[in-house]
Amino acid sequence: PFGDQSVDARSKVRKLLKLFQLICRKLMQAEEQQLRNVGRIDLEAVEVLKKYDGYSKPDAIVGSVPGVVVGDEFHFRVELSIVGLHRIYQGGIDSAIVDGTRIAISIVASGGYPDELSSSDELIYTGSGGKATGKKEAEDQKLKGGNLALKNCIKTKTPVRVIHGFKGQSRSEVGHSKSKQISTYTYDGLYVVVDCWQEGASGSMVFKYKLKRIPGQPELALHIVKETRMSKVRKGLRCPDISLEKERIPICVINTIDDAQPTPFEYITKVIYPPSYAKEPPHGCDCTDGCSDSSRCACAVKNGGEIPFNFNGAIVHAKPLIYECGPSCRCPPTCHNRASQHGIKIPLEIFKTGETGWGVRSLSSISSGSFICEYAGELLQDTEAEKIENDEYLFDIGHNYDDEELWKGLPSMIPGLESSTSETMQEAVGFTIDAAKCGNVGRFINHSCSPNLYAQNVLWDHDDKRMPHIMFFAAENIPPLQELTYHYNYTIGQVRDKNGVEKVKECLCGSADCCHRLY
Ligand code: SAM
């Protein structure tokens, strides 16, 4: 009942947003490397996106926007416009003329913090205009434009999309010297306007509107997070910290489904290499002024002449292989080319899912490009791994995810940016990580055919390309409590038992474009 949520519409929206976010990070990278001076990154990124084939000017849509679902999060106002949720960059009320009457189609309710979000399905919204500015004194708000359009929705019974804008700190930036306030816009679904009145002293009267959320829409995760944070006892808490203080942030285990506990394993934070293997530290860089000169930093050179992370720690885009600065480099541990080697920064929790055993999620919003965690375990030769009975926790190194498809053609659209040549990893180079006996939170991340994370090959403490670290990064903005997943990349029909017989496992990821087989 809430619009076209077809696989095609959803994947189009996700692709557009990924592309936009990638352009933003790319422009930010260029600015950080002092290659160019960008004014407003978001506005410039939209201009680049407009040149892209799949982009079309958003139509005025009444009701749900195809491909956008309740709970979707955005970090730039312009993203709301790109997907057609709220087409104007500044005003709070977007409107259109339908059957000769101007009606509101969406509002952005800004200000405040997520914790202040009212949990009732009612919203009081203040109209626009009337505020004092540098040149003008305050005046009564007028019943015209957006204000009139929103009032008209009472008689036309038009559903209005509501987006909440909050100020807050991005988790990926917590603890980082360049952390700054960022905004989050959360789509809350469709409301109807039930009342409109004027308030305030003469000369500064404002319009107030009462809106009611249309029943039957999914609950906003922010409400559940707020309740969870406020309650003293966490429902279903099985273990306060499965890492036993080995991680900087505790990782709790939540089970609200049954009485089960995870099967015991040893929590480790670092990959265990074969005893005979002597790790050799790579040749490092000599930078003492921040690894930002991509032509001088030896590590940037290894990355095709760029530092693959923004100053806030976000990965710019996936590549077959990334080199972080390491133990032989002269730069300090705070160098931004060390985004994934310091461990988990986003609070994660292990929870019992309905269908796929244990899974991983976060109570915080995660912004696209953030580092999540490593896949830690025991490093084995593939030949040894093949003999292992329990194959549930094996990660076969050698596949690589890259954004080449998405990124193709874009460099030419961004003036002054050349494409960097990225290293190609060899496929299936002979090593597997087994996290059955020893592992970290990464061992609990499930597969999805429509994942929100990807596995990035990273080298930092040695140069051996056969066994890079497997580091998970967010592929998009992830709202709180959404399960974190990556694509296991099995080739269907190619997974065999030790007698060579093909193994079949059903995929239960539940995504609309699920291909129904894990292997
Ligand atoms: N769910 C696991 C647990 O409870 O420990 C954590 C993930 S573990 C690395 C991989 C195993 O989880 C798989 O072998 C499979 O049994 C299960 N699994 C993960 N994703 C799945 C999916 N999409 N469909 C069905 N089973 C899945």
Side-chain angles (χ1 to χ4, degrees):
F2 295 109
D4 171 11
Q5 292 315 338
S6 65
V7 177
D8 279 356
R10 182 74 179 145
S11 61
K12 189 175 168 223
V13 162
R14 288 172 81 185
K15 191 172 173 187
L16 264 182
L17 289 172
K18 274 188 194 174
L19 205 51
F20 169 80
Q21 290 151 8
L22 191 151
I23 300 167
C24 285
R25 294 193 297 262
K26 202 75 198 159
L27 291 172
M28 220 180 281
Q29 178 192 45
E31 193 174 56
E32 288 161 355
Q33 292 186 1
Q34 290 166 12
L35 293 177
R36 63 204 304 267
N37 211 340
V38 186
R40 279 270 302 272
I41 283 182
D42 53 343
L43 299 183
E44 189 152 338
V46 176
E47 289 313 308
V48 177
L49 189 71
K50 283 182 182 164
K51 297 183 211 152
Y52 166 74
D53 262 355
Y55 177 85
S56 52
K57 195 166 175 279
D59 295 326
I61 297 171
V62 178
S64 295
V65 171
V68 178
V69 300
V70 168
D72 274 354
E73 288 195 354
F74 308 86
H75 291 301
F76 294 98
R77 269 287 295 256
V78 297
E79 287 177 306
L80 305 175
S81 168
I82 291 168
V83 300
L85 203 54
H86 187 85
R87 298 166 307 155
I88 47 176
Y89 293 176
Q90 278 180 343
I93 305 169
D94 188 6
S95 65
I97 294 177
V98 175
D99 298 333
T101 308
R102 182 163 287 281
I103 46 149
I105 53 176
S106 58
I107 58 169
V108 174
S110 278
Y113 294 87
D115 284 355
E116 292 157 20
L117 185 69
S118 151
S119 38
S120 73
D121 282 343
E122 220 173 76
L123 173 76
I124 304 294
Y125 185 77
T126 308
S128 51
K131 281 206 188 98
T133 61
K135 297 182 200 126
K136 239 175 40 185
E137 278 184 27
E139 56 179 13
D140 289 342
Q141 282 187 352
K142 302 211 167 58
L143 194 57
K144 58 173 198 182
N147 292 348
L148 178 61
L150 199 51
K151 187 175 185 205
N152 286 341
C153 288
I154 303 177
K155 61 172 190 289
T156 58
K157 298 193 168 52
T158 311
V160 178
R161 294 185 293 271
V162 170
I163 300 114
H164 294 283
F166 299 114
K167 295 182 204 86
Q169 201 178 36
S170 153
R171 289 287 164 177
S172 67
E173 297 177 52
V174 170
H176 195 278
S177 57
K178 301 241 163 143
S179 72
K180 60 170 195 281
Q181 283 252 309
I182 68 147
S183 303
T184 304
Y185 298 92
T186 306
Y187 176 49
D188 184 5
L190 300 179
Y191 281 65
V192 281
V193 189
V194 293
D195 200 1
C196 167
W197 65 97
Q198 268 183 303
E199 237 178 59
S202 172
S204 57
M205 298 250 269
V206 295
F207 282 96
K208 290 276 181 180
Y209 301 85
K210 188 198 270 186
L211 289 92
K212 274 194 172 1
R213 194 167 190 251
I214 300 179
Q217 302 178 86
E219 188 178 358
L220 214 53
L222 284 175
H223 293 305
I224 307 170
V225 170
K226 186 180 159 193
E227 276 167 33
T228 309
R229 293 213 161 117
M230 275 167 34
S231 65
K232 287 202 188 82
V233 198
R234 183 78 195 272
K235 214 171 124 212
L237 183 70
R238 294 283 173 271
C239 167
D241 183 11
I242 200 171
S243 88
L244 301 171
E245 295 183 5
K246 288 186 181 124
E247 301 286 3
R248 289 197 297 179
I249 320 179
I251 296 175
C252 66
V253 178
I254 303 290
N255 186 351
T256 51
I257 300 218
D258 54 35
D259 289 333
Q261 288 272 11
T263 314
F265 68 100
E266 185 187 339
Y267 199 101
I268 55 167
T269 54
K270 297 238 154 19
V271 173
I272 301 173
Y273 291 86
S276 58
Y277 180 68
K279 256 198 304 183
E280 271 192 44
H283 181 72
C285 68
D286 292 322
C287 310
T288 48
D289 55 357
C291 296
S292 46
D293 186 337
S294 48
S295 56
R296 271 199 0 235
C297 170
C299 300
V301 171
K302 284 196 268 184
N303 286 311
E306 63 181 22
I307 297 291
F309 305 104
N310 287 139
F311 284 173
N312 64 10
I315 188 168
V316 176
H317 62 94
K319 289 177 157 207
L321 179 62
I322 275 179
Y323 293 87
E324 290 190 2
C325 290
S328 325
C329 296
R330 287 186 66 199
C331 58
T334 50
C335 163
H336 74 290
N337 192 30
R338 296 171 184 268
S340 69
Q341 62 189 254
H342 298 306
I344 297 168
K345 294 193 186 87
I346 290 171
L348 301 174
E349 60 182 40
I350 295 163
F351 75 108
K352 189 76 188 283
T353 67
E355 299 270 13
T356 52
W358 299 96
V360 180
R361 66 185 180 190
S362 176
L363 278 183
S364 302
S365 300
I366 299 175
S367 49
S368 178
S370 304
F371 170 64
I372 307 295
C373 69
E374 179 163 8
Y375 194 94
E378 293 175 85
L379 193 75
L380 305 175
Q381 297 248 320
D382 283 352
T383 44
E384 285 173 76
E386 278 155 20
K387 295 185 213 138
I388 284 182
E389 290 283 331
N390 177 6
D391 62 1
E392 294 262 303
Y393 299 99
L394 296 179
F395 190 106
D396 186 13
I397 300 179
H399 295 282
N400 43 59
Y401 179 94
D402 71 52
D403 285 338
E404 223 42 56
E405 264 310 297
L406 191 66
W407 184 226
K408 219 168 39 190
L410 270 180
S412 58
M413 296 182 196
I414 305 181
L417 278 194
E418 291 86 44
S419 174
S420 67
T421 48
S422 59
E423 177 127 17
T424 41
M425 281 275 294
Q426 290 164 287
E427 293 280 327
V429 277
F431 285 90
T432 293
I433 301 171
D434 181 13
K437 283 190 241 116
C438 311
N440 68 343
V441 57
R443 76 197 280 282
F444 291 105
I445 306 178
N446 285 318
H447 159 92
S448 170
C449 297
S450 188
N452 49 22
L453 309 181
Y454 62 86
Q456 171 65 56
N457 299 313
V458 174
L459 285 175
W460 63 274
D461 54 349
H462 66 74
D463 251 345
D464 196 333
K465 285 195 220 167
R466 296 169 308 162
M467 46 182 93
H469 292 271
I470 303 301
M471 304 295 198
F472 295 113
F473 285 88
E476 56 194 5
N477 293 333
I478 308 172
L481 294 175
Q482 191 178 93
E483 182 173 1
L484 307 181
T485 54
Y486 65 99
H487 199 292
Y488 282 7
N489 252 323
Y490 287 115
T491 316
I492 308 285
Q494 290 299 303
V495 180
R496 295 177 188 279
D497 67 13
K498 55 179 187 282
N499 301 317
V501 180
E502 179 185 330
K503 294 214 286 186
V504 175
K505 190 160 205 159
E506 189 191 355
C507 178
L508 302 169
C509 78
S511 67
D513 45 357
C514 176
C515 66
H516 306 290
R517 264 182 80 176
L518 199 54
Y519 51 74

Short mmCIF file of all heavy atoms in Angstrom, two decimals, residues 472-505:
data_model
loop_
_atom_site.label_atom_id
_atom_site.label_comp_id
_atom_site.label_asym_id
_atom_site.label_seq_id
_atom_site.Cartn_x
_atom_site.Cartn_y
_atom_site.Cartn_z
N PHE A 472 35.98 -5.14 6.55
CA PHE A 472 34.63 -4.81 6.09
C PHE A 472 34.37 -3.31 6.19
O PHE A 472 34.69 -2.68 7.21
CB PHE A 472 33.57 -5.54 6.92
CG PHE A 472 33.63 -7.03 6.75
CD1 PHE A 472 34.01 -7.85 7.81
CD2 PHE A 472 33.33 -7.63 5.55
CE1 PHE A 472 34.09 -9.23 7.66
CE2 PHE A 472 33.40 -9.01 5.38
CZ PHE A 472 33.78 -9.81 6.45
N PHE A 473 33.80 -2.76 5.13
CA PHE A 473 33.44 -1.34 5.09
C PHE A 473 31.96 -1.22 4.70
O PHE A 473 31.43 -2.09 3.99
CB PHE A 473 34.28 -0.59 4.06
CG PHE A 473 35.70 -0.35 4.51
CD1 PHE A 473 36.68 -1.29 4.27
CD2 PHE A 473 36.04 0.81 5.20
CE1 PHE A 473 37.99 -1.08 4.70
CE2 PHE A 473 37.34 1.04 5.63
CZ PHE A 473 38.32 0.09 5.38
N ALA A 474 31.33 -0.12 5.16
CA ALA A 474 29.92 0.12 4.82
C ALA A 474 29.81 0.57 3.37
O ALA A 474 30.47 1.52 2.97
CB ALA A 474 29.33 1.18 5.74
N ALA A 475 28.97 -0.11 2.59
CA ALA A 475 28.80 0.24 1.18
C ALA A 475 27.77 1.34 0.99
O ALA A 475 27.62 1.89 -0.10
CB ALA A 475 28.37 -1.00 0.40
N GLU A 476 27.01 1.64 2.04
CA GLU A 476 25.98 2.68 1.96
C GLU A 476 25.68 3.17 3.37
O GLU A 476 26.25 2.64 4.33
CB GLU A 476 24.71 2.11 1.30
CG GLU A 476 24.17 0.88 2.01
CD GLU A 476 23.13 0.12 1.18
OE1 GLU A 476 22.87 0.49 0.03
OE2 GLU A 476 22.57 -0.84 1.73
N ASN A 477 24.80 4.15 3.51
CA ASN A 477 24.39 4.57 4.85
C ASN A 477 23.52 3.47 5.43
O ASN A 477 22.60 2.99 4.77
CB ASN A 477 23.57 5.86 4.79
CG ASN A 477 24.41 7.03 4.33
OD1 ASN A 477 25.63 7.05 4.53
ND2 ASN A 477 23.77 8.01 3.71
N ILE A 478 23.81 3.10 6.68
CA ILE A 478 23.06 1.99 7.28
C ILE A 478 22.34 2.51 8.53
O ILE A 478 22.97 2.99 9.46
CB ILE A 478 24.02 0.83 7.66
CG1 ILE A 478 24.88 0.43 6.45
CG2 ILE A 478 23.23 -0.36 8.19
CD1 ILE A 478 25.98 -0.57 6.77
N PRO A 479 20.99 2.44 8.52
CA PRO A 479 20.25 2.92 9.70
C PRO A 479 20.51 2.00 10.89
O PRO A 479 20.89 0.84 10.71
CB PRO A 479 18.78 2.83 9.27
CG PRO A 479 18.76 2.51 7.83
CD PRO A 479 20.10 1.94 7.47
N PRO A 480 20.29 2.51 12.12
CA PRO A 480 20.49 1.69 13.30
C PRO A 480 19.67 0.40 13.23
O PRO A 480 18.58 0.41 12.64
CB PRO A 480 20.00 2.56 14.46
CG PRO A 480 19.54 3.84 13.89
CD PRO A 480 19.82 3.86 12.44
N LEU A 481 20.19 -0.65 13.83
CA LEU A 481 19.52 -1.95 13.96
C LEU A 481 19.37 -2.75 12.66
O LEU A 481 18.88 -3.86 12.68
CB LEU A 481 18.14 -1.82 14.63
CG LEU A 481 18.16 -1.37 16.09
CD1 LEU A 481 16.73 -1.17 16.59
CD2 LEU A 481 18.87 -2.39 16.96
N GLN A 482 19.77 -2.18 11.54
CA GLN A 482 19.70 -2.96 10.30
C GLN A 482 20.84 -3.99 10.32
O GLN A 482 21.98 -3.64 10.67
CB GLN A 482 19.86 -2.04 9.09
CG GLN A 482 19.55 -2.73 7.79
CD GLN A 482 19.68 -1.78 6.61
OE1 GLN A 482 20.72 -1.69 5.99
NE2 GLN A 482 18.60 -1.06 6.31
N GLU A 483 20.53 -5.24 9.97
CA GLU A 483 21.58 -6.26 10.01
C GLU A 483 22.70 -5.91 9.03
O GLU A 483 22.46 -5.46 7.91
CB GLU A 483 21.00 -7.64 9.68
CG GLU A 483 22.11 -8.68 9.77
CD GLU A 483 21.68 -10.12 9.64
OE1 GLU A 483 20.49 -10.41 9.44
OE2 GLU A 483 22.59 -10.98 9.72
N LEU A 484 23.94 -6.12 9.46
CA LEU A 484 25.11 -5.89 8.60
C LEU A 484 25.40 -7.19 7.85
O LEU A 484 25.47 -8.26 8.46
CB LEU A 484 26.33 -5.48 9.44
CG LEU A 484 26.12 -4.30 10.38
CD1 LEU A 484 27.41 -3.99 11.13
CD2 LEU A 484 25.67 -3.07 9.60
N THR A 485 25.56 -7.08 6.54
CA THR A 485 25.77 -8.28 5.72
C THR A 485 26.76 -7.99 4.61
O THR A 485 26.93 -6.84 4.21
CB THR A 485 24.45 -8.71 5.04
OG1 THR A 485 23.93 -7.58 4.31
CG2 THR A 485 23.42 -9.19 6.04
N TYR A 486 27.41 -9.03 4.13
CA TYR A 486 28.21 -8.88 2.90
C TYR A 486 27.89 -10.05 1.99
O TYR A 486 27.20 -11.00 2.41
CB TYR A 486 29.72 -8.79 3.22
CG TYR A 486 30.33 -10.02 3.85
CD1 TYR A 486 31.04 -10.95 3.09
CD2 TYR A 486 30.23 -10.25 5.21
CE1 TYR A 486 31.63 -12.07 3.67
CE2 TYR A 486 30.81 -11.38 5.80
CZ TYR A 486 31.50 -12.28 5.02
OH TYR A 486 32.06 -13.39 5.60
N HIS A 487 28.36 -10.00 0.77
CA HIS A 487 28.09 -11.07 -0.19
C HIS A 487 29.20 -12.11 -0.07
O HIS A 487 30.37 -11.79 -0.23
CB HIS A 487 28.04 -10.49 -1.61
CG HIS A 487 27.34 -11.39 -2.56
ND1 HIS A 487 27.85 -12.61 -2.95
CD2 HIS A 487 26.13 -11.28 -3.20
CE1 HIS A 487 27.00 -13.20 -3.78
NE2 HIS A 487 25.96 -12.42 -3.93
N TYR A 488 28.82 -13.36 0.23
CA TYR A 488 29.85 -14.39 0.46
C TYR A 488 30.59 -14.78 -0.83
O TYR A 488 31.63 -15.45 -0.74
CB TYR A 488 29.22 -15.64 1.08
CG TYR A 488 28.92 -15.54 2.58
CD1 TYR A 488 29.07 -14.35 3.29
CD2 TYR A 488 28.49 -16.66 3.28
CE1 TYR A 488 28.78 -14.28 4.65
CE2 TYR A 488 28.22 -16.61 4.65
CZ TYR A 488 28.36 -15.42 5.33
OH TYR A 488 28.09 -15.37 6.67
N ASN A 489 30.01 -14.41 -1.97
CA ASN A 489 30.73 -14.64 -3.24
C ASN A 489 31.01 -16.09 -3.59
O ASN A 489 32.00 -16.39 -4.26
CB ASN A 489 32.08 -13.91 -3.20
CG ASN A 489 32.06 -12.72 -4.09
OD1 ASN A 489 31.45 -12.76 -5.17
ND2 ASN A 489 32.71 -11.64 -3.67
N TYR A 490 30.18 -16.99 -3.14
CA TYR A 490 30.36 -18.40 -3.54
C TYR A 490 29.96 -18.53 -4.99
O TYR A 490 29.04 -17.83 -5.45
CB TYR A 490 29.45 -19.32 -2.72
CG TYR A 490 29.87 -19.52 -1.30
CD1 TYR A 490 29.07 -19.06 -0.25
CD2 TYR A 490 31.05 -20.20 -0.99
CE1 TYR A 490 29.44 -19.26 1.07
CE2 TYR A 490 31.42 -20.39 0.33
CZ TYR A 490 30.62 -19.92 1.35
OH TYR A 490 30.99 -20.12 2.64
N THR A 491 30.63 -19.43 -5.72
CA THR A 491 30.16 -19.73 -7.07
C THR A 491 29.22 -20.92 -6.94
O THR A 491 29.63 -21.99 -6.48
CB THR A 491 31.34 -20.07 -8.01
OG1 THR A 491 32.38 -19.13 -7.74
CG2 THR A 491 30.94 -20.05 -9.45
N ILE A 492 27.97 -20.70 -7.32
CA ILE A 492 26.96 -21.76 -7.17
C ILE A 492 27.42 -22.98 -7.98
O ILE A 492 27.82 -22.86 -9.13
CB ILE A 492 25.57 -21.27 -7.69
CG1 ILE A 492 25.18 -19.95 -7.03
CG2 ILE A 492 24.50 -22.35 -7.53
CD1 ILE A 492 24.72 -19.99 -5.62
N GLY A 493 27.38 -24.13 -7.35
CA GLY A 493 27.76 -25.36 -8.04
C GLY A 493 29.24 -25.70 -7.86
O GLY A 493 29.69 -26.78 -8.25
N GLN A 494 30.00 -24.78 -7.25
CA GLN A 494 31.45 -25.01 -7.13
C GLN A 494 31.89 -25.41 -5.71
O GLN A 494 33.04 -25.69 -5.46
CB GLN A 494 32.23 -23.75 -7.52
CG GLN A 494 32.16 -23.43 -9.01
CD GLN A 494 32.77 -24.52 -9.87
OE1 GLN A 494 33.92 -24.87 -9.70
NE2 GLN A 494 31.98 -25.07 -10.79
N VAL A 495 30.93 -25.39 -4.75
CA VAL A 495 31.30 -25.78 -3.39
C VAL A 495 31.07 -27.28 -3.26
O VAL A 495 29.98 -27.79 -3.54
CB VAL A 495 30.47 -24.99 -2.35
CG1 VAL A 495 30.85 -25.39 -0.93
CG2 VAL A 495 30.67 -23.49 -2.54
N ARG A 496 32.16 -27.98 -2.89
CA ARG A 496 32.08 -29.45 -2.85
C ARG A 496 32.54 -29.97 -1.50
O ARG A 496 33.34 -29.33 -0.82
CB ARG A 496 32.97 -30.06 -3.95
CG ARG A 496 32.46 -29.69 -5.31
CD ARG A 496 33.32 -30.19 -6.46
NE ARG A 496 32.80 -29.60 -7.70
CZ ARG A 496 31.75 -30.07 -8.35
NH1 ARG A 496 31.13 -31.16 -7.94
NH2 ARG A 496 31.32 -29.48 -9.44
N ASP A 497 32.04 -31.14 -1.11
CA ASP A 497 32.53 -31.75 0.13
C ASP A 497 33.84 -32.48 -0.16
O ASP A 497 34.33 -32.46 -1.30
CB ASP A 497 31.46 -32.66 0.76
CG ASP A 497 31.17 -33.89 -0.08
OD1 ASP A 497 31.96 -34.19 -1.02
OD2 ASP A 497 30.17 -34.57 0.19
N LYS A 498 34.39 -33.16 0.89
CA LYS A 498 35.72 -33.73 0.65
C LYS A 498 35.71 -34.90 -0.34
O LYS A 498 36.75 -35.30 -0.83
CB LYS A 498 36.41 -34.09 1.97
CG LYS A 498 35.68 -35.02 2.89
CD LYS A 498 36.56 -35.27 4.11
CE LYS A 498 36.02 -36.31 5.04
NZ LYS A 498 34.97 -35.97 5.92
N ASN A 499 34.51 -35.43 -0.67
CA ASN A 499 34.43 -36.49 -1.69
C ASN A 499 34.14 -35.91 -3.08
O ASN A 499 33.86 -36.65 -4.02
CB ASN A 499 33.33 -37.49 -1.31
CG ASN A 499 33.60 -38.11 0.05
OD1 ASN A 499 34.75 -38.47 0.35
ND2 ASN A 499 32.57 -38.19 0.88
N GLY A 500 34.15 -34.58 -3.16
CA GLY A 500 33.95 -33.95 -4.47
C GLY A 500 32.48 -33.79 -4.86
O GLY A 500 32.16 -33.41 -5.98
N VAL A 501 31.58 -34.09 -3.91
CA VAL A 501 30.15 -33.99 -4.24
C VAL A 501 29.68 -32.54 -4.02
O VAL A 501 30.01 -31.92 -3.00
CB VAL A 501 29.33 -34.95 -3.34
CG1 VAL A 501 27.83 -34.85 -3.67
CG2 VAL A 501 29.83 -36.37 -3.49
N GLU A 502 28.93 -32.02 -4.98
CA GLU A 502 28.44 -30.64 -4.90
C GLU A 502 27.58 -30.42 -3.66
O GLU A 502 26.72 -31.23 -3.34
CB GLU A 502 27.61 -30.32 -6.16
CG GLU A 502 27.06 -28.92 -6.14
CD GLU A 502 26.13 -28.60 -7.32
OE1 GLU A 502 26.31 -29.19 -8.41
OE2 GLU A 502 25.24 -27.76 -7.14
N LYS A 503 27.85 -29.31 -2.95
CA LYS A 503 27.05 -29.00 -1.77
C LYS A 503 26.05 -27.89 -2.12
O LYS A 503 26.35 -26.99 -2.90
CB LYS A 503 27.94 -28.53 -0.61
CG LYS A 503 28.86 -29.62 -0.10
CD LYS A 503 29.10 -29.54 1.40
CE LYS A 503 30.00 -28.42 1.80
NZ LYS A 503 30.32 -28.46 3.25
N VAL A 504 24.86 -28.00 -1.52
CA VAL A 504 23.82 -27.01 -1.79
C VAL A 504 23.37 -26.41 -0.47
O VAL A 504 23.09 -27.13 0.47
CB VAL A 504 22.61 -27.67 -2.50
CG1 VAL A 504 21.47 -26.66 -2.67
CG2 VAL A 504 23.02 -28.24 -3.84
N LYS A 505 23.36 -25.09 -0.36
CA LYS A 505 22.81 -24.45 0.84
C LYS A 505 21.85 -23.34 0.42
O LYS A 505 22.19 -22.51 -0.43
CB LYS A 505 23.94 -23.88 1.69
CG LYS A 505 23.46 -23.42 3.06
CD LYS A 505 24.62 -23.33 4.03
CE LYS A 505 24.16 -23.47 5.45
NZ LYS A 505 25.19 -23.87 6.36
#
